[in-house]
C-alpha cells in the first residue's frame, strides 16, 4: 500500500468530524425473518434453506427515499447501508455472483436506489461490506487451500472494486469481520490502495485488520 500522508487523511476526515451524526442501516434477506441479521448463523439455518429467501424478498419501492428524508429531518449528514452482510447476499449488481438483488428477488439494484436517495437529500454515501461470507463456497475453505484462498480474495476485492466503480462518489467504506483471514491474507493493504485509487476522498474503517481512518469498536 502506498503510504497515506497524515495531511491527506485529515483532509478526507474533515467532513466526517464535522458531520458527527449519521444513519446506519442493516438490510438484507434476514429482514424478512425479522429476528436478527445473524439469524442464519444463530439458528443454524442451512445455506440451501436460507437461500430460498432470495426468491421471496419484495421490499417496497422507494422505501430508501423515506429513510433518507428521515435522516435529513433528524439532522443526520450521512448514511451507511449494508451492501452485503455475512449472509453473502448482495444488494448490488455484481458480475461475480448470481446471489444478488438484481438477479434474484426483488429484481432491482437496491444499492443504486439507496445512493440515489442519499444524493436527493444531500447526504454523504457510505457502504458497509462484510468480508466474512457464509454463502460463498470458499468463505471458510479459503483457510484450507491456496486455490480456495485465491478465489475468495479475488471475489472480495472484485466486489469492492464494483462498489467503488459503479455508483459514483462514495464517502465511506465500512468493512466488517476480517475472519477467517489475517490482514496479510486478505491483501488488505492492496484493497485499501485500490479503494483510494478509485475513490480518493473516501474514508475507510479499521476492520480489514489494518489501522485506517477511523475505529469501529464493537459494543
Amino acid at each position: 500500500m502506498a503510504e497515506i500522508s497524515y495531511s491527506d487523511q485529515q483532509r478526507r476526515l474533515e467532513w466526517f468530524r464535522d458531520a458527527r451524526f449519521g444513519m446506519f442501516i442493516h438490510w438484507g434477506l434476514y429482514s424478512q425473518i425479522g429476528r436478527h441479521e445473524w439469524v442464519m448463523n444463530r439458528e443454524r439455518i442451512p445455506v440451501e434453506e436460507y437461500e430460498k429467501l432470495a426468491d421471496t424478498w419484495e421490499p417496497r419501492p422507494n422505501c430508501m427515499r423515506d429513510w433518507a428524508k428521515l435522516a435529513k429531518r433528524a439532522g443526520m449528514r450521512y448514511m451507511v447501508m449494508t451492501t452485503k452482510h455475512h449472509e453473502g447476499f448482495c444488494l448490488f449488481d455484481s458480475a461475480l455472483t448470481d446471489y444478488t438483488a438484481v438477479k434474484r428477488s426483488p429484481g432491482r439494484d437496491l444499492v443504486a436506489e439507496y445512493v440515489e436517495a442519499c444524493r436527493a437529500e444531500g447526504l454523504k454515501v457510505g457502504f458497509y461490506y462484510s468480508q466474512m461470507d457464509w454463502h460463498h463456497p470458499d468463505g471458510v475453505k479459503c483457510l484450507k487451500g491456496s486455490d480456495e484462498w485465491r478465489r475468495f480474495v479475488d471475489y472480495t476485492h472484485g466486489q469492492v472494486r464494483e462498489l467503488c466503480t459503479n455508483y459514483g462518489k462514495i464517502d465511506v467504506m465500512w468493512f466488517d469481520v476480517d475472519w477467517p483471514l489475517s490482514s496479510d491474507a486478505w491483501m488488505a493493504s492492496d484493497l485499501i490502495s485500490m479503494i483510494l485509487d478509485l475513490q480518493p476522498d473516501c474514508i475507510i474503517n479499521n476492520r480489514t485488520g489494518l489501522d485506517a481512518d477511523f475505529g469501529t469498536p464493537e459494543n
Side-chain angles (χ1 to χ4, degrees):
M1 181 175 70
E3 185 173 349
I4 299 171
S5 72
Y6 176 79
S7 60
D8 182 66
Q9 184 183 61
Q10 298 311 299
R11 176 191 65 79
R12 288 184 290 108
L13 280 167
E14 185 175 1
W15 74 264
F16 188 60
R17 290 184 173 129
D18 182 58
R20 300 179 65 84
F21 188 34
M23 181 182 286
F24 200 108
I25 300 169
H26 269 290
W27 205 35
L29 297 180
Y30 47 81
S31 302
Q32 298 176 83
I33 300 174
R35 291 194 289 276
H36 199 284
E37 65 269 15
W38 277 69
V39 66
M40 181 180 174
N41 173 274
R42 290 188 172 184
E43 299 185 17
R44 300 295 187 263
I45 302 173
V47 170
E48 59 274 11
E49 179 181 341
Y50 190 87
E51 189 175 317
K52 294 175 184 177
L53 293 170
D55 296 318
T56 57
W57 194 25
E58 297 181 1
R60 179 172 56 82
N62 298 319
C63 57
M64 285 157 283
R65 289 293 184 96
D66 293 337
W67 302 344
K69 288 176 181 177
L70 176 63
K72 186 67 176 287
R73 286 202 307 272
M76 298 179 186
R77 305 278 291 280
Y78 69 96
M79 297 173 73
V80 176
M81 188 183 79
T82 49
T83 65
K84 181 191 75 126
H85 202 259
H86 314 329
E87 64 180 6
F89 187 72
C90 301
L91 276 59
F92 58 99
D93 192 14
S94 176
L96 302 175
T97 180
D98 290 335
Y99 200 48
T100 76
V102 176
K103 296 168 185 171
R104 307 287 287 269
S105 188
R108 294 152 36 206
D109 188 328
L110 300 179
V111 168
E113 293 180 16
Y114 157 72
V115 170
E116 183 180 347
C118 286
R119 293 194 176 125
E121 299 301 324
L123 301 169
K124 299 282 190 182
V125 176
F127 287 166
Y128 165 111
Y129 182 88
S130 171
Q131 297 167 101
M132 179 168 69
D133 193 316
W134 299 326
H135 180 267
H136 194 286
D138 296 316
V140 175
K141 290 180 182 177
C142 62
L143 281 171
K144 302 184 182 299
S146 59
D147 290 344
E148 292 85 352
W149 165 78
R150 182 78 257 182
R151 282 196 300 265
F152 191 49
V153 169
D154 286 348
Y155 177 77
T156 301
H157 284 227
Q159 289 205 319
V160 173
R161 178 177 289 276
E162 290 175 328
L163 289 169
C164 289
T165 303
N166 296 338
Y167 299 96
K169 188 174 186 293
I170 305 306
D171 302 290
V172 183
M173 278 299 301
W174 209 104
F175 289 104
D176 200 9
V177 186
D178 57 358
W179 186 91
L181 299 175
S182 67
S183 59
D184 286 343
W186 279 118
M187 301 176 68
S189 180
D190 291 345
L191 184 65
I192 290 172
S193 290
M194 177 184 69
I195 294 167
L196 293 177
D197 283 344
L198 296 169
Q199 297 284 345
D201 298 323
C202 190
I203 61 172
I204 305 165
N205 77 335
N206 64 338
R207 294 197 181 189
T208 64
L210 297 179
D211 288 337
D213 298 315
F214 63 102
T216 49
E218 196 81 6
N219 297 318

